[in-house]
Amino acid sequence: MGFENILTEVRGTGARQTGLITLNRPKQLNALNDALMDELGAALKAFDADAAIGCIVITGSEKAFAAGADIAAMAKFSLTDTYGADFITRNWETIRSVRKPVIAAVAGFALGGGCELAMMCDFIIAADTAKFGQPEIKLGIIPGAGGTQRLPRAVGKAKAMDMVLTSRMMDAAEAERAGLVSRVVPLAELMGVALAAADSINELSGISVMMAKESVNRAFEGTLADGIMFERRLFHTLFATEDQKEGMDAFLNKRKAAFKQR
Ligand code: HXC
């Protein structure tokens, strides 16, 4: 895949591997412009369609995961450029259709659209240098890629209002306490830990992994009763897979499961 604003690599040596995407506009602190978001969408789709890939990791640089949408590009936008051209929806939403797990490995700034992109991933592993924020209000706008919706779901109304209204940044320790990130690790260990988490997912039955992701995401839509029924039906369905037979047989025979992805 030849891209200008991101780097893509395949990592891992197991039967299924990890698609690693590195946001790569370091001079602009990985500010997310249209070209980058188009490339990110294309890379995500390609990895999602590749049967050899079990999991995707998105990362940035040590200084910035991403400092937000590109302010230089947005500065002159009119309503025609935003509503008229379907700004954000047209190329930021691809990640929502990815069925394989997507892990954000965040160091440095994750601000505005950068924080929103991290929150669109399935979980966030943060370096101890990470800083999260929604500073759009200082620019006379508000978060536009889901920040006002996903942040309160992650950290509750009080902290979300504080961040969105005052533009206060949250450091990694606070982000972990608040539930925005799943783990905080020293910066030097960030990629090792994120890729190890991806590797552990790669070893599993991909069908059960996709169903688990889809079911957890249901917790954020609709009622609890609907979500539980959705989960129940996926749970029932997994008994039609060979991987379920293999996983349970392996446990009962005290051996490691060898999933066949079917
Ligand atoms: C365009 C950006 C940028 C951004 C940084 N840069 N953030 N360019 N868009 N979001 C550029 C700077 O202009 C500068 O370019 C270079 O990156 C280095 O940044 P500095 O400001 O010099 O670095 P530093 O002093 O270390 O400060 C880091 C920072 C600051 C605190 C992250 O850059 C900052 O506040 N950035 C903006 C953060 C922000 O407001 N994000 C929200 C954007 S709105 P030069 O050419 O001078 O070297 C948004 C809306 C989302 O995200 C809606 C959905 C799409």
Side-chain angles (χ1 to χ4, degrees):
M1 290 182 253
F3 296 120
E4 289 177 11
N5 300 283
I6 61 171
L7 305 171
T8 59
E9 294 166 69
V10 174
R11 292 288 192 94
T13 51
R16 296 196 311 154
Q17 295 160 303
T18 299
L20 174 61
I21 301 173
T22 305
L23 308 177
N24 191 34
R25 296 185 76 211
K27 284 191 191 133
Q28 295 85 8
L29 304 186
N30 291 330
L32 304 165
N33 63 7
D34 244 8
L36 188 153
M37 293 312 295
D38 283 344
E39 292 181 6
L40 178 62
L44 286 167
K45 273 189 180 167
F47 281 141
D48 204 32
D50 184 343
I53 297 294
C55 196
I56 299 167
V57 174
I58 302 179
T59 194
S61 69
E62 285 194 1
K63 174 143 189 198
F65 177 74
D70 192 322
I71 301 169
M74 288 187 296
K76 293 196 176 64
F77 273 7
S78 65
L79 185 66
T80 311
D81 299 313
T82 55
Y83 183 81
D86 208 14
F87 177 50
I88 302 168
T89 315
R90 69 169 178 252
N91 56 4
W92 281 66
E93 301 281 330
T94 309
I95 191 166
R96 292 181 58 199
S97 63
V98 174
R99 301 178 75 201
K100 292 170 183 171
V102 183
I103 302 170
V106 174
F109 296 109
L111 303 179
C115 186
E116 292 172 304
L117 175 61
M119 289 192 290
M120 287 184 199
C121 296
D122 296 313
F123 61 97
I124 302 172
I125 299 179
D128 49 10
T129 61
K131 285 189 187 309
F132 297 88
Q134 298 288 165
E136 288 91 340
I137 206 83
K138 285 202 293 191
L139 301 169
I141 57 170
I142 65 170
T148 64
Q149 304 305 301
R150 291 195 180 91
L151 193 59
R153 282 169 165 81
V155 305
K157 177 184 168 186
K159 279 188 188 289
M161 281 289 193
D162 185 0
M163 290 171 72
V164 169
L165 296 180
T166 73
S167 73
R168 178 175 79 81
M169 289 186 214
M170 204 182 248
D171 67 18
E174 184 181 3
E176 187 183 27
R177 279 199 306 278
L180 179 59
V181 311
S182 67
R183 324 181 199 180
V184 177
V185 299
L187 174 61
E189 293 170 24
L190 177 66
M191 291 318 295
V193 170
L195 291 168
D199 265 346
S200 72
I201 293 170
N202 291 337
E203 287 182 11
L204 304 171
S205 169
I207 292 188
S208 64
V209 166
M210 287 195 297
M211 285 195 185
K213 167 172 169 162
E214 197 178 353
S215 197
V216 172
N217 279 332
R218 272 294 170 113
F220 299 99
E221 297 155 13
T223 64
L224 179 63
D226 286 344
I228 285 176
M229 185 51 71
F230 182 78
E231 177 200 81
R232 193 71 31 85
R233 291 300 175 236
L234 293 184
F235 175 80
H236 290 159
T237 307
L238 282 165
F239 286 77
T241 66
E242 289 180 30
D243 284 344
Q244 172 268 328
K245 303 286 177 296
E246 167 63 12
M248 294 191 180
D249 186 72
F251 174 81
L252 292 173
N253 289 295
K254 303 189 190 306
R255 61 178 176 80
K256 186 171 156 45
F259 292 116
K260 300 280 184 338
Q261 309 303 333
R262 55 180 183 253

